[in-house]
């Protein structure tokens, strides 16, 4: 409370910097236990966190930091990916040349493209690391069973994002890696034309692979489909999934841990 | 060694090279912590483990938790900075590849899937595409999802432990490290033109034709009629999954198995036997040149 409010008199206004900081953070920039709690609880970005956490939960040795780093890498791919979208056009005439432009013409194009690709590769590995740590600490056990299932969904989306992105440079590496991958859909039972029990009327032109590629082979339609999945549908799904995942971490009682000694949290 | 270097230095393969020491280190760390926790559990129960994990709590602290600000947020900030710096350096030093323009008329040999799918591609050597590319991926996702519901052992929740959950951990590590990561390494480092096996230090000989005569499981036993072979294959597969029933009969009085109940046990047995059938089929192929265990007019297994 300022002096002016206490006395009802219009006294001197608080310092300018102090007023700006307080209006932005909703908390006085004074280090007290109460303000530490409020700083977290009153900030939309931070209130994902509880305002207090068990000691073991902040240790790298327990979480390996993997869930958080996976999310951070996702954010990096979003930022660098949006930058790439300013240059890249998803058609067979343009796609590969746009990559060349990025590599040689566009200021910071190469390093931005590199960041996007390496962050995506790293994200795949880090999500695996996170999966391993959650398994090894038995953190999927009640009441966290369902959040593990949400996690498996996130893992699947991460791999699909990587896979759809692989096609976009439209070079030999992309085209053939995606050809190998999507051929599997043609071999699916019932819905693939090469699979066992292919339903009557299912051909290379209308089977599961054709749905994925917009035709029997990897061509312009496939590029457009993968582009939309990669830049719109899958990131949205992953973002929504993360919201659910983080919400459940809180609701399931925060980061798991062994039963605390009596009196603890 | 030159081929090994060529594979390793492909920019897209660097993550795989990094993965080996990364997972080795993490597993080593896990093992040490798990053994420490096993010992602590025996002495003082979970409270002892918790104290060790919490570290020193200042004398007379009423609430053993810490404030998120600054104790967690500063760690997150530092982690984010470190990740950013590492990525920036990586991106400045190593360029993402851009090969020649996509050309549907020119198939590279070998055509490899992205590295994280190479384990599945490796399975194509041993299984038809509908199994390696559709059935097994679906079962992997399904199998991962059911883990929390079929692991009914409440012990070892929230800390690294081994002794209390040996079976679950062993099965998981076998699948994750042995099969998933192991086959990715094989697909990356040991497969060359024609998807033939080349040791990492061997030069890729494009002319090498490997005429590997294969036969079917029934041929091994001299069964030549196609219906006989079909029936024999069906029996083999049924027999394999029948092991689940035998296991149920033998183990049904064990407390943990009783706790599982029949439906959970059936799911576990099916997934476990399917997982084990993967290395088994690989062994049949490599040892006895068996291509199919079960042939039918509609599909082959
Ligand atoms: C894009 C992928 C993912 C992101 C961004 C993510 C993020 C996170 C974060 C930030 C946490 C908090 C604790 C920590 O960092 O360890 C967490 C916890 C958790 N995650 Fe994930 N995760 C992802 C994928 C997965 C996967 C693949 C699984 C398992 C199949 C999983 C299961 C869990 C569970 C059960 C918890 C609670 C752990 C505990 O209470 O100790 N998550 N996740």
């Amino acid at each position: 409370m300022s002096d002016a409010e206490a006395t009802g008199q219009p006294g001197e206004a608080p310092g300018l910097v102090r007023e700006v900081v307080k209006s932005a953070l909703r908390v006085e920039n004074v280090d007290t236990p109460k303000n530490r709690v409020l700083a977290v609880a009153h900030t939309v970005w931070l209130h994902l966190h509880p305002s207090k956490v068990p000691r073991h939960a902040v240790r790298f040795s327990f979480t390996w930091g993997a869930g958080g780093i996976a999310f951070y890498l996702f954010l990096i791919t979003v930022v660098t990916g949006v930058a790439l979208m300013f240059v890249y056009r998803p058609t067979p005439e343009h796609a590969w040349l746009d990559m060349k432009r990025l590599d040689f013409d566009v200021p910071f194009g190469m390093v931005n493209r590199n960041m996007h690709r390496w962050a995506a590769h790293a994200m795949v590995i880090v999500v695996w690391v996170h999966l391993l740590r959650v398994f090894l600490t038995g953190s999927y056990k009640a009441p966290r069973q369902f959040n593990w299932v949400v996690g498996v969904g996130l893992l699947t989306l991460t791999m699909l994002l990587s896979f759809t992105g692989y096609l976009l440079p439209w070079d030999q590496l992309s085209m053939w890696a995606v050809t190998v991958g999507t051929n599997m859909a043609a071999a699916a039972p019932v819905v693939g034309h090469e699979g066992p029990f292919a339903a009557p009327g299912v051909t290379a032109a209308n089977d599961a692979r054709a749905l994925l590629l917009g035709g029997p082979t990897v061509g312009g339609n496939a590029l457009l489909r993968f582009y939309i999945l990669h830049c719109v549908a899958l990131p949205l799904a992953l973002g929504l999934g993360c919201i659910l995942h983080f919400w459940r971490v809180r609701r399931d009682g925060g980061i798991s841990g062994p039963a605390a000694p009596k009196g603890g949290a | 060694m030159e081929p090994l270097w060529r594979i390793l230095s492909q920019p897209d393969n660097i993550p795989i090279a990094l993965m080996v020491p990364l997972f080795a280190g993490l597993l080593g760390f896990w093992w040490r912590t798990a053994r420490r926790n096993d010992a602590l559990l025996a002495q003082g129960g979970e409270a002892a483990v918790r104290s060790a994990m919490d570290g020193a709590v200042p004398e007379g602290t009423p609430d053993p938790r810490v404030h998120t600000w600054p104790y967690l947020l500063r760690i997150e900030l530092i982690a984010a900075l470190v990740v950013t710096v590492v990525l920036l350096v990586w991106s400045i030093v190593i360029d993402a590849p851009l090969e020649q323009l996509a050309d549907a008329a020119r198939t590279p040999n070998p055509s490899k899937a992205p590295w994280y799918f190479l384990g599945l591609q490796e399975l194509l050597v041993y299984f038809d595409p509908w199994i390696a590319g559709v059935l097994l991926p679906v079962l992997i996702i399904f199998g991962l999802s059911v883990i929390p519901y079929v692991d009914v052992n409440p012990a070892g929740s929230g800390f690294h432990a081994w002794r209390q959950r040996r079976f679950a951990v062993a099965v998981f590590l076998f699948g994750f490290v042995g099969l998933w990561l192991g086959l990715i390494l094989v697909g990356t480092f040991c497969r060359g033109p024609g998807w033939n096996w080349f040791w990492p230090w061997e030069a890729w000989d494009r002319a090498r034709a490997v005429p590997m005569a294969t036969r079917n499981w029934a041929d091994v036993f001299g069964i030549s009629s196609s219906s006989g072979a079909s029936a024999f294959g069906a029996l083999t597969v049924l027999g394999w999954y029948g092991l689940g029933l035998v296991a149920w009969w033998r183990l049904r009085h064990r407390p943990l198995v009783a706790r599982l109940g029949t439906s959970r046990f059936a799911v576990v047995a099916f997934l476990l036997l399917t997982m084990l059938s993967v290395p088994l089929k690989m062994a049949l192929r490599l040892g006895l040149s068996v291509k199919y265990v079960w042939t039918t007019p509609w599909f082959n297994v």
Side-chain angles (χ1 to χ4, degrees):
Chain A
M1 221 187 278
S2 71
D3 295 346
E5 282 169 58
T7 58
Q9 298 288 323
E12 206 179 324
L16 178 60
V17 174
R18 192 167 149 207
E19 182 177 346
V20 171
V21 168
K22 176 162 186 210
S23 72
L25 300 182
R26 304 192 75 243
V27 182
E28 199 82 59
N29 186 19
V30 176
D31 190 19
T32 64
K34 184 175 166 214
N35 283 347
R36 288 181 172 190
V37 170
L38 292 180
V40 172
H42 280 195
T43 308
V44 65
W45 311 113
L46 301 185
H47 90 287
L48 268 179
H49 289 305
S51 42
K52 283 183 160 192
V53 283
R55 277 166 200 270
H56 78 273
V58 303
R59 297 193 169 226
F60 246 82
S61 56
F62 182 64
T63 63
W64 297 349
I69 292 178
F71 185 62
Y72 182 62
L73 288 167
F74 174 58
L75 294 182
I76 290 184
T77 57
V78 170
V79 173
T80 53
V82 168
L84 291 172
M85 288 171 78
F86 285 117
V87 175
Y88 176 85
R89 289 162 292 176
T91 66
E93 303 84 76
H94 293 122
W96 185 77
L97 286 173
D98 287 345
M99 301 314 278
K100 281 279 183 215
R101 271 199 310 134
L102 276 164
D103 288 0
F104 295 107
D105 249 12
V106 178
F108 299 106
M110 183 90 240
V111 82
N112 182 255
R113 179 176 164 231
N114 293 345
M115 282 275 269
H116 190 75
R117 193 180 188 101
W118 305 141
H121 278 9
M123 183 174 166
V124 171
I125 296 180
V126 172
V127 170
W128 293 355
V129 169
H130 177 59
L131 172 110
L132 182 67
R133 103 84 181 145
V134 172
F135 185 88
L136 290 179
T137 57
S139 301
Y140 55 82
K141 300 188 178 200
R144 297 183 177 80
Q145 301 101 316
F146 191 71
N147 212 17
W148 169 274
V149 180
V150 174
V152 175
L154 294 177
L155 169 77
T156 313
L157 287 171
T158 305
M159 311 267 300
L160 288 177
L161 264 166
S162 263
F163 183 61
T164 49
Y166 218 82
L167 182 63
L168 303 185
W170 203 245
D171 63 354
Q172 282 287 77
L173 201 63
S174 323
M175 166 172 258
W176 291 98
V178 168
T179 302
V180 171
T182 51
N183 274 342
M184 298 304 121
V190 187
V191 291
H193 79 283
E194 286 165 355
F197 306 110
V202 169
T203 66
N206 65 8
D207 67 350
R209 185 181 65 187
L211 180 73
L212 212 57
L213 297 181
T217 53
V218 176
N221 283 342
L223 183 55
L224 185 59
R225 281 179 195 208
F226 273 48
Y227 176 75
I228 292 171
L229 289 173
H230 185 76
C231 300
V232 184
L234 293 170
L236 263 180
L238 190 75
L240 292 173
C242 282
I243 294 177
L244 184 58
H245 196 56
F246 300 162
W247 167 256
R248 287 296 302 238
V249 171
R250 291 287 306 273
R251 286 289 133 166
D252 293 341
I255 301 289
S256 61
K262 60 181 180 337
Chain B
M1 276 303 146
E2 184 258 324
L4 175 64
W5 177 245
R6 200 191 51 240
I7 297 176
L8 264 179
S9 59
Q10 270 177 27
D12 273 336
N13 287 345
I14 288 170
I16 315 177
L18 292 178
M19 233 166 54
V20 176
L22 175 68
F23 280 101
L26 288 174
L27 286 171
F29 176 81
W30 161 73
W31 181 245
R32 262 190 29 218
T33 321
R35 298 306 289 172
R36 181 203 71 180
N37 287 350
D38 284 350
L40 285 169
L41 267 179
Q43 291 161 17
E46 281 195 22
V49 177
R50 176 64 171 248
S51 307
M53 284 165 64
D54 274 352
V57 181
E59 202 57 50
T61 312
D63 184 346
R65 295 175 304 168
V66 290
H67 282 113
T68 297
W69 172 254
Y71 298 105
L72 175 56
L73 290 170
R74 72 177 178 201
I75 294 176
E76 292 180 345
L77 179 72
I78 293 169
L81 286 175
V82 170
V83 171
T84 310
V85 168
V86 169
L87 259 182
L88 255 178
V89 171
W90 186 355
S91 304
I92 290 169
V93 176
I94 300 171
D95 285 341
L98 185 65
E99 296 192 353
Q100 283 166 358
L101 179 65
D103 182 354
R106 237 164 19 89
T107 314
N109 183 8
S111 294
K112 290 197 181 185
W115 60 268
Y116 37 83
F117 286 145
L118 281 184
L120 296 173
Q121 194 175 1
E122 174 65 16
L123 288 181
L124 282 172
V125 176
Y126 311 97
F127 295 94
D128 277 359
W130 68 275
I131 299 182
V134 183
L135 187 67
L136 290 176
V138 167
L139 285 180
I140 291 171
I141 295 174
F142 173 75
L144 280 175
S145 303
V146 300
I147 286 175
Y149 302 98
V150 297
D151 180 359
V152 293
N153 170 11
S157 168
F159 53 97
H160 295 287
W162 163 247
R163 206 180 295 149
Q164 291 179 309
R165 43 196 297 253
R166 274 181 288 216
F167 180 71
V169 172
V171 171
F172 182 83
L173 289 183
F174 174 71
F176 182 71
V177 181
L179 293 178
W180 183 257
L181 297 183
L183 289 180
I184 287 178
L185 291 178
V186 169
T188 310
F189 294 114
C190 303
R191 292 297 181 177
W195 208 257
N196 288 321
W197 186 284
F198 291 88
W199 290 105
W201 50 88
E202 264 184 293
W204 281 4
D205 171 9
R206 298 193 170 268
R208 177 158 112 190
V210 184
M212 188 168 159
T214 57
R215 50 186 176 165
N216 294 330
W217 178 232
D219 300 329
V220 178
F221 298 88
I223 302 171
S224 50
S225 85
S226 71
S227 52
S230 214
F232 184 67
L235 272 178
T236 308
V237 174
L238 269 178
W240 176 248
Y241 284 103
L243 289 178
L245 282 177
V246 177
W248 166 251
W249 188 251
R250 300 281 306 265
L251 302 175
R252 68 194 187 288
H253 297 305
R254 297 253 186 111
L256 198 68
V257 174
R259 199 174 137 81
L260 267 177
T262 42
S263 50
R264 284 194 180 89
F265 188 91
V267 172
V268 174
F270 170 72
L271 290 171
L272 195 60
L273 287 165
T274 306
M275 182 164 97
L276 289 176
S277 73
V278 170
L280 199 65
K281 176 89 193 276
M282 292 169 70
L284 283 180
R285 176 58 174 270
L286 298 174
L288 298 173
S289 306
V290 168
K291 184 165 168 64
Y292 294 121
V293 168
W294 181 17
T295 49
T296 76
W298 310 281
F299 62 87
N300 300 311
V301 175

